[in-house]
Amino acid sequence: MIVVSALAGMTDALFACAAAAADGDVARARRSLDDQLDRHDGIARSLLQRPGAALFQDELERARNAIAGLLERFGSRSEEHPALRDELVSYGERLSAALLAATLAAADLPTRCVDARRCIVTEATHGAATPLWPDTEHQTRAELIPLLDAARVPVLGGYIAATRDGRTTTLGRGGSDYTAALVGAALGAREIQIWTDVSGVLTADPRVVPGARRIPRLSYAEAAELAYFGAKVLHPNTIQPATDRHIPVRICNSQAPESPGTIVATEADVWPGTVKAIAHKTGITVLHIASSRMLGAYGFLRALFEVFDRHRAVVDVVTTSEVSVSLTLEDARSLPAIVSELRSLGEVSVEPHRAIVCVVGEGLRTTPGIAARVFATVRDINVSLISQGASRVNLTFVIEEGRVREAVQRLHAALFEREPVPADVATGGAA
Ligand code: ASP
Ligand code: MG
């Protein structure tokens, strides 16, 4: 069965349209969608013959009218806007599901377009609704199993859902992958595939390391660590329903469908020294806070983190000693205010223009000497903090931004290019 996203750019256009309507400019809002709706029409014409094309065009006209009606309702109280916006943006996935179902039918594949709002049940937080599991599982099975039994391919829109009483909600931007994981979990799928435009996850950023290779297999924990670095890995929350049920998630490339991609599953390949990837992120600021008041005292870290809490600043990496704490921030916008508040707790120093480098692999748990190898490789580069996460599948450190390319290239050469992958691992065995 197939879960689709909206066409590229459609959801953004729908959000912009909702914003224009909320500003009171309904005419501009309507006009802003014309190109998008015409694009659907153009794609339908290029993919479909007469009867199928006409059916989809009817659907498109109905959507156009319904959207016009919805936009008028933005004149109401602004408390109603989030609900109206969800209703409006749902047309992206609804139209793309209808278009794909029509295309499959035209290719003589027995199919059925299913309204995802009959499957995914959520609470009522518009824009970022949380699925209600037993209801979702029950509804999804009730809607889809009869179709599967009748050998019809269900096609449904991701991202969109509904409350128990039928009000349209959405799961948050990029939520189609989440829908796929929910549906896969509800049906007990053998595998969930995410089709994107890269051949799975690579051992490093190919813009920095041209020789970066595809990683055949990752554990959920490894994928979760890499997600922060924007490697094309799924957000851990997104695949949680799959993780909980041990359903493998495969990342596939629609531009290279024959590539096996990367499979993310409970068990990963582990061999001594296994390093799967070297990820990095620039634009990081490091803060060091030193205070002898920390020594043997409690409550100090709470006071410290409350400062970040007040400024809603996300802290990514933390290390502490008896008298100091070092941490990283990605978003330095509130930095001056944060620093001035921290000064009441201790001496503060700031290192801007830093980069995080993260070596990821289940093998780090069990391999002695790997840290020595990593740091030997970058021995002439100053390291400002080091951390090994609780999951113990990562070794993270921070260096000067200007030297990060070199560091990642050298690490890649040392950890991947000199040591061939053991033959049994390439075929999925574990040491
Ligand atoms: N169309 C939605 C978005 O753009 C959901 C998705 O693409 O996953 O956020
Ligand atoms: Mg998408």
Side-chain angles (χ1 to χ4, degrees), residues 183-234:
V183 171
L187 296 177
R190 212 173 337 134
E191 181 173 300
I192 296 165
Q193 300 181 341
I194 306 287
W195 286 82
T196 164
D197 55 2
V198 290
S199 288
V201 185
L202 302 181
T203 50
D205 183 339
R207 288 166 300 185
V208 172
V209 181
R213 307 188 218 139
R214 178 180 62 84
I215 306 170
R217 209 179 157 86
L218 284 173
S219 68
Y220 296 122
E222 289 169 333
E225 293 293 346
L226 288 173
Y228 165 74
F229 295 92
K232 287 263 178 168
V233 196
L234 309 156

Side-chain angles (χ1 to χ4, degrees), residues 273-291:
T274 332
V275 169
K276 297 295 172 48
I278 300 158
H280 72 279
K281 190 170 243 178
T282 53
I284 301 293
T285 304
V286 175
L287 294 178
H288 301 282
I289 303 98
S291 169

Side-chain angles (χ1 to χ4, degrees), residues 4-8 11 93 173-177:
V4 291
S5 240
L7 299 196
T11 307
E93 269 69 14
R173 294 306 304 269
S176 294
D177 295 350

